[in-house]
Amino acid sequence: IYSQISSPQENDPHQTKKLQKSINKLLRQSRAPQSVQNELREIHHKDGEFRVMEITTFPIKTEVGHMLCSVGRDVTERKMADDALRASEERFRALATNATDVVCLHNPEGIILYASPSSQKLLGYTPGELIGKDPLNFMHPDDAKFMQEDFYYRAFHGQPVSSVDIRLKNKDDVYIWFETNAQAVLDQEHKIIQ
């Protein structure tokens, strides 16, 4: 099967030369079946839109000689979703990094998975010192009991949680008042993931 995909890059002599070098390299390696080349290429579809294709090319040996076999699939939606996720993560990271509040992510058991850099300024603990810890261990015993029996229960069952004032022990063993809010992060099936 012979197919041809044209894209604006193929009119570029540099891109054509680069593609030819890749083809020649694969042909030289055709005796090694593990020689596989994967690449993403943006193509111009006949409908006028650009699509992202994942192209896997590998050498094969036939009775007429060495040939290249290419398989392509449209990964435009996956690439767009990856780009959107990366942008969302960058926005969250920028927000959490620059926030004056302590921002934390917890697993369903309450263990800290992420703590913002402001934790060091406000509590004296670096994010690394908080990750993997149970926040109840930093709370005043009276507040920890309430948080465990009411606040966490509601938060981890997807119920709305209003602001609550609690005392957290800083690195110098001094309790400091904080206002805390929680919002469960749900997956597509509405199960709590964080």
Side-chain angles (χ1 to χ4, degrees):
I1 296 174
Y2 171 79
S3 65
Q4 180 177 353
I5 300 174
S6 62
S7 69
Q9 294 92 349
E10 290 176 355
N11 296 329
D12 179 357
H14 176 71
Q15 290 293 329
T16 303
K17 191 173 183 178
K18 185 177 171 183
L19 180 60
Q20 187 61 46
K21 280 184 178 183
S22 295
I23 291 171
N24 289 337
K25 180 180 176 185
L26 279 168
L27 284 171
R28 283 192 306 275
Q29 297 173 343
S30 64
R31 291 183 183 92
Q34 69 275 15
S35 300
V36 175
Q37 177 180 334
N38 292 306
E39 66 177 329
L40 293 180
R41 290 192 56 136
E42 190 172 83
I43 64 162
H44 191 234
H45 193 270
K46 67 182 179 181
D47 68 5
E49 297 290 323
F50 282 93
R51 306 276 169 80
V52 178
M53 297 292 292
E54 180 180 67
I55 301 172
T56 302
T57 305
F58 52 93
I60 58 172
K61 186 176 180 180
T62 68
E63 58 272 353
V64 294
H66 298 290
M67 303 180 107
L68 292 177
C69 180
S70 292
V71 178
R73 65 182 175 146
D74 187 341
V75 294
T76 305
E77 288 183 20
R78 185 185 78 193
K79 177 85 167 81
M80 289 170 48
D82 288 348
D83 291 348
L85 177 61
R86 191 172 5 273
S88 175
E89 288 172 345
E90 288 171 7
R91 284 191 302 273
F92 171 78
R93 194 174 304 111
L95 177 65
T97 300
N98 296 305
T100 55
D101 295 337
V102 177
V103 177
C104 293
L105 287 177
H106 304 266
N107 68 14
E109 290 75 41
I111 303 303
I112 299 171
L113 301 174
Y114 169 86
S116 63
S118 58
S119 64
Q120 187 164 11
K121 182 179 179 183
L122 296 173
L123 291 168
Y125 296 103
T126 65
E129 292 174 302
L130 296 174
I131 293 172
K133 304 285 190 314
D134 186 336
L136 294 173
N137 295 332
F138 298 94
M139 291 180 201
H140 188 279
D142 294 340
D143 299 336
K145 184 177 182 199
F146 166 76
M147 293 295 283
Q148 193 169 27
E149 292 175 357
D150 184 62
F151 188 88
Y152 278 10
Y153 178 83
R154 287 187 290 145
F156 288 118
H157 285 85
Q159 298 174 9
V161 179
S162 58
S163 297
V164 175
D165 293 330
I166 60 169
R167 291 160 285 184
L168 294 175
K169 190 183 337 179
N170 69 12
K171 201 167 187 175
D172 296 326
D173 286 333
V174 175
Y175 285 103
I176 302 171
W177 283 98
F178 280 87
E179 179 182 296
T180 186
N181 298 286
Q183 176 63 49
V185 178
L186 308 174
D187 64 14
Q188 292 177 339
E189 297 165 359
H190 301 289
K191 293 182 181 174
I192 294 174
I193 55 174
Q194 295 178 347

